Structure formats: structure tokens, C-alpha cells
Amino acid sequence: MKKLFLISALSLFGCAAMAQDDAVNKAMVDGLRKDKEKSDKDVSDPKASAKASFWMERAKLYENIALQGSEVDSSAAKTALEAYKKVVELDVTKKGEPGKSSKEASNVLAGGEGTQLFNAFVKQGAEKYQAKNLGGALEMFKAAQEINKKDTLAALYGGIAAQQLDQKDDAKASFEKYTANGGKDPSVFYGLAQLYRSENNFDKAIETLNQGLAQSPGNKDLKAEIVNILLASGKEDQAIKELEALAAADPKNTQNVVNLAILYDNMYRTATDKVKQLSAKAGAGANAAGAAEKNLAGEKDKIAVYDGEVKRISALIKKQPKNADLKRQLADVTAKKKESTEAVAKLEGEVKAAQEAAKGQDVAGAQKELEEAKAKQKEASDKAVANYKKALEIDATNYDALYNLGVFYFNEAVQLKGEVDNMNMTEYQQRGKEVEGRVCGKFKKAKPYFEKAIQAKDEAEAKDNLTNLNGVLEQFASKGVACIEE
């Protein structure tokens, strides 16, 4: 199913409202550079650096550099942040209360209305992102989030940068802030769900997707991803219900129908495996008893033969009492009879144990379980084929539907051929030819789907399967088997 790329961050940054105009006045930049040099020098001046007013001027200077002249200092916003913090530290009245400058700086640090430090961080973060400095960009966006805890812009950009750095915890934290603060972009809900899914936190992933659907009720990608996550978490029945709803809501959407067919196809294969296991289990006790009884009968037959040989050789010895070879033959036959007698005693125990084990089986229960599995197998088979054909009614050239339907009939033929391979000579003489004809018919049924799939898309897998299939059909033709198409 479709996997959605999170978002085109570059396009978002490119249209950011605070993006710097390329035609920045050179004189302004030169002025900012000179003011920066003076401020940097005065930092080491004990008198200047002891005044809150100096740090306020420095904070505003670096804030302006970040907003209007990043070429002077690409991380000016960080210096502005530290300078504002210094103002808060120094501007305290004798009563221990914050002064006027301290209140102003605190308002800036809290992202108060009309302040620009938040924008300075976002702008320089965007610039670092565009320069492919993802680590620097993430640092800027995280700082911006601390200044304005209710904003969605920095949370969005920070999540994107963190995701590209594969820092999943930071990405998750940023996207969670974005959604908690009222962000509505469905791609973010999708990306956040993917992060939860990577942790196998499937319930949280589905909850996130549903939150996204509450914002964008018609979003097909969010709905489809719910199906994917339900499948990944082993909730196949629920996934089918969701996908059936999608197919019903958008009946012309071929992919939804194909995906539904694939789900039923997978259910059919799972059910087929279970039927095989249950069939073997149901017949295991009876088969074991039958095999033991057959071996016992064989050993008893041997004893009867040995008895006859003993009588025959003993009669000859009476006539030729000095014949050493006859005496040797009698000794060999007697030893073999002893071995068979011991084997009979052992096998009689095995027969009794096998018979008791067979009696202990819940035959009725096993048979019921087998019948239920066969019913599920047939239902899944019918629905898989029906949905593949429905998809082809919408789009007759859909490669996935054509190829998968060809594979479906091919695999059915292989399963039926296994029935022929397991026949003994008597069974084959009775109905082997008829079953082989049905096998050939199913192989033949797959052929047009592979041919049309190749016409729709020139894929090696379809070509290889068609080549293999043609070889199988040639073998049936050489054996004179008439294909019976059902």
C-alpha cells in the first residue's frame, strides 16, 4: 500500500513569511557587522558587561542580525537569547524584584506579543536547513519551541529536521507539540503515526491517525495507513472491515479493491496451511495404528514362512543327518524366526498403544475444526477472486490484479497436483487421469492473466511465471492429458 512522504520541508521554508529578501541593503549589513564587533569587544569590559542596558542592546542587536543579516552570524539568535537571559539576571531592584528591562526581556523569552526572538530562531533554523545543516536547524527549532510553547510552526519544522536526522524521540516530541497545539496538516499525523509504528506502539499510531482524520475526514492516505497498521499488529479481520469501508466509500478506487483482494488472498493461503495441518492431525492417530498393524502382519507372515522352512530343512536333515550345510541353513532360519518373534511382541505393544491413542483423540472435535477451516478457506478464496475481478472491471489493465490472479490459479493447480503425486497406483488408475485433467485446466486458466499482466507492465516476474507455466502445459500435452477447465 501507498507510503506517504512526510512533507516537502524545502517548499515550506521557501515560502516562510520571515524569509530574508535577497536584496538586503549592503550598508545595513556592514553596520550590523560593525555593531557586532563593538559589542563582542565590550563583553570583556567589566564596566559595560555589568550593566543590564548593555545586555539589552546586545540582545536586540543580535536579534536584528538574525532577522536581517544572517551572513554576519548564522547563529545570532542563540547569542540574543543568552543576552536576554543576562538582562533578567542583572536587572533586579533592591527589593529583589525584576526591573523594567528585566520584565521586557522576560516577555521576549516567553514569546510575548510583538516580540521577534521566536521569529529569529525560526528564520535561522530555516536557513540552516536549506544549507543542509540539519543538526543546527534542529537546535534552532527546538529553541524556538521553548520560547513559544503554543506555536505549531517551529514544532513542524523541528519534527521534519529531527526525522531526517533519524532522531526519532526529538521528531516525535516536536510532532506531538504540533498536534497538541492545533496543527492540522495530515502529513504530520501520518509521520507521527509512522514513528509510533516503528516502536510497535500500534494503538497510539491508530489513535494519532484518527486524530488526523478528525481534522481531515476525507484523507485517503490516513485511512489506508490505519489498514496497514492493523495488518502489522495482526488485526487482519479489523483491517478487512476498514478496507471494505474504504472500497464502499470510493468504489472506483482500484487500489482499494486490489488491496482488499490481496488481504483475502493472504487469508486464503493461511487457511490452506491450517487445513493441511488439521488434516494431518486428524489422520495421525488412525494412520499410526494402521502402519503398526501393517508392520505386525508383515512380521507374522515372516514367521509363517520361517516355520515352513524349518519343517522343510528338518525333513531333509533326517534324510541326510551328516549334511553340514543343511544344519547351517536350519540354524539361520531358526535365528531369523526368533528375531521376528521378538519383533511381533514389540509390534503388538505398538499396535495397542496406537489404538489407544486413536481412541483418545477427539475425532468429532478435530473434524469440526477441520470443517470450519475449510469453510474459511473457501470464503477467503471466493472473496479474493471476486475482488481481483472487480478491480479488473474498474481497470482491465491493472497489473497487480492480473498478476495476482494468475498466481492464484497457478497455486491452486500446484495444490491439486500434490493430490495426484500422493496417489498410489490403484488410486491413480481409478481417478488419476481425471484429476490431472483438472490440474491442467487450472494451469491453463492462469495463462491469460500472466499474458495480460505482461502487456500492462513489462515485469520479469510475470515473464518468468509465464515461461514456467508454458513448460508445464507442454508436459501435459506430451502425456496426452486433456485439460478440464472448471
Side-chain angles (χ1 to χ4, degrees):
M1 297 182 186
K2 180 179 178 183
K3 181 177 181 181
L4 183 69
F5 286 101
L6 172 63
I7 210 162
S8 176
L10 219 55
S11 66
L12 282 172
F13 291 143
C15 65
M18 71 293 297
Q20 180 69 53
D21 189 340
D22 289 340
V24 176
N25 186 284
K26 185 177 182 299
M28 181 190 297
V29 174
D30 289 343
L32 290 172
R33 185 173 283 110
K34 286 182 180 180
D35 291 344
K36 174 183 179 298
E37 290 173 357
K38 182 179 183 305
S39 181
D40 290 347
K41 183 178 179 181
D42 288 346
V43 167
S44 58
D45 183 339
K47 290 184 179 180
S49 61
K51 298 177 181 178
S53 58
F54 165 77
W55 290 103
M56 179 63 82
E57 288 177 4
R58 182 173 172 82
K60 291 182 177 180
L61 168 63
Y62 271 87
E63 189 177 83
N64 284 333
I65 291 172
L67 291 168
Q68 301 182 56
S70 278
E71 56 264 63
V72 175
D73 186 340
S74 64
S75 297
K78 290 170 60 179
T79 305
L81 175 68
E82 295 305 318
Y84 278 123
K85 288 180 178 178
K86 197 72 175 176
V87 174
V88 174
E89 176 188 330
L90 294 175
D91 187 25
V92 182
T93 67
K94 291 180 180 180
K95 294 182 179 181
E97 298 175 350
K100 182 179 179 181
S101 294
S102 178
K103 291 178 181 178
E104 180 184 349
S106 295
N107 184 49
V108 173
L109 292 172
E113 186 176 350
T115 61
Q116 291 294 312
L117 185 60
F118 168 80
N119 289 340
F121 271 106
V122 173
K123 176 179 175 292
Q124 290 205 306
E127 290 167 348
K128 288 181 183 296
Y129 183 94
Q130 289 175 320
K132 302 190 185 306
N133 180 0
L134 297 177
L138 179 58
E139 182 183 13
M140 291 290 182
F141 295 139
K142 287 174 73 174
Q145 291 175 55
E146 290 302 311
I147 294 168
N148 187 348
K149 299 184 187 302
K150 295 297 182 181
D151 179 76
T152 57
L153 187 65
L156 172 63
Y157 291 175
I160 294 167
Q163 193 175 49
Q164 293 195 11
L165 285 166
D166 200 30
Q167 294 183 13
K168 294 180 180 179
D169 288 341
D170 283 333
K172 193 168 60 175
S174 287
F175 288 147
E176 284 171 344
K177 287 179 183 177
Y178 174 86
T179 60
N181 290 341
K184 296 183 178 181
D185 192 320
S187 297
V188 177
F189 289 95
Y190 186 102
L192 182 55
Q194 289 288 302
L195 291 169
Y196 287 129
R197 180 179 177 177
S198 69
E199 301 171 343
N200 291 331
N201 191 346
F202 300 117
D203 290 342
K204 190 66 176 175
I206 290 175
E207 178 187 329
T208 300
L209 291 167
N210 283 325
Q211 288 174 356
L213 285 170
Q215 302 288 349
S216 307
N219 190 280
K220 297 176 182 178
D221 293 307
L222 295 179
K223 291 178 180 179
E225 187 57 16
I226 286 177
V227 175
N228 287 339
I229 291 174
L230 287 171
L231 287 173
S233 60
K235 298 176 180 177
E236 195 171 63
D237 291 341
Q238 194 175 340
I240 285 177
K241 288 180 182 178
E242 293 283 348
L243 197 48
E244 282 178 336
L246 284 177
D250 189 5
K252 295 298 182 183
N253 187 317
T254 313
Q255 195 57 54
N256 284 340
V257 180
V258 170
N259 288 341
L260 188 56
I262 291 171
L263 286 186
Y264 280 120
D265 200 340
N266 290 338
M267 284 183 67
Y268 165 69
R269 295 180 191 184
T270 301
T272 299
D273 290 340
K274 188 170 184 178
V275 166
K276 289 179 182 177
Q277 293 170 4
L278 291 174
S279 296
K281 180 181 177 182
N287 291 339
E293 288 170 357
K294 185 177 180 180
N295 291 336
L296 176 60
E299 288 299 332
K300 286 182 176 179
D301 288 343
K302 287 182 183 179
I303 291 174
V305 172
Y306 294 146
D307 283 339
E309 282 294 288
V310 168
K311 289 179 181 179
R312 183 184 68 83
I313 296 171
S314 297
L316 291 174
I317 290 176
K318 286 181 180 180
K319 296 177 181 179
Q320 306 174 47
K322 294 184 180 180
N323 190 320
D325 187 53
L326 288 173
K327 291 180 180 180
R328 179 189 58 77
Q329 290 179 33
L330 181 61
D332 288 344
V333 171
T334 302
K336 288 177 180 179
K337 179 183 175 181
K338 182 181 178 183
E339 290 176 2
S340 287
T341 301
E342 292 172 352
V344 164
K346 181 180 178 183
L347 286 168
E348 283 175 342
E350 291 179 4
V351 168
K352 185 177 180 180
Q355 288 173 341
E356 290 299 320
K359 288 179 184 178
Q361 280 189 327
D362 181 5
V363 177
Q367 190 61 35
K368 181 181 177 182
E369 190 177 3
L370 178 58
E371 291 304 316
E372 288 174 352
K374 286 182 177 180
K376 287 184 179 180
Q377 179 190 33
K378 186 178 187 308
E379 180 185 12
S381 170
D382 292 345
K383 289 186 175 181
V385 172
N387 280 285
Y388 281 135
K389 289 184 176 180
K390 183 178 178 181
L392 292 175
E393 288 174 6
I394 302 170
D395 177 10
T397 62
N398 185 277
Y399 174 83
D400 290 335
L402 290 166
Y403 177 78
N404 288 345
L405 200 48
V407 170
F408 184 90
Y409 289 130
F410 187 97
N411 287 343
E412 274 199 332
V414 171
Q415 290 172 22
L416 190 56
K417 186 177 183 300
E419 186 179 325
V420 178
D421 294 340
N422 290 327
M423 289 180 180
N424 57 38
M425 185 59 68
T426 302
E427 290 172 329
Y428 184 82
Q429 288 173 347
Q430 290 174 347
R431 61 190 189 93
K433 287 292 184 181
E434 183 270 333
V435 178
E436 274 192 327
R438 290 168 52 209
V439 172
C440 179
K442 287 188 178 293
F443 277 123
K444 192 173 181 180
K445 197 172 184 178
K447 183 174 181 178
Y449 292 103
F450 286 133
E451 291 174 336
K452 290 176 183 177
I454 293 168
Q455 291 172 8
K457 190 186 292 187
D458 190 19
E459 293 285 348
E461 58 183 358
K463 288 181 175 179
D464 291 344
N465 281 350
L466 181 59
T467 299
N468 185 22
L469 175 58
N470 284 333
V472 171
L473 291 174
E474 287 173 5
Q475 290 178 23
F476 279 113
S478 66
K479 290 172 64 177
V481 174
C483 296
I484 303 171
E485 294 189 50
E486 300 172 317

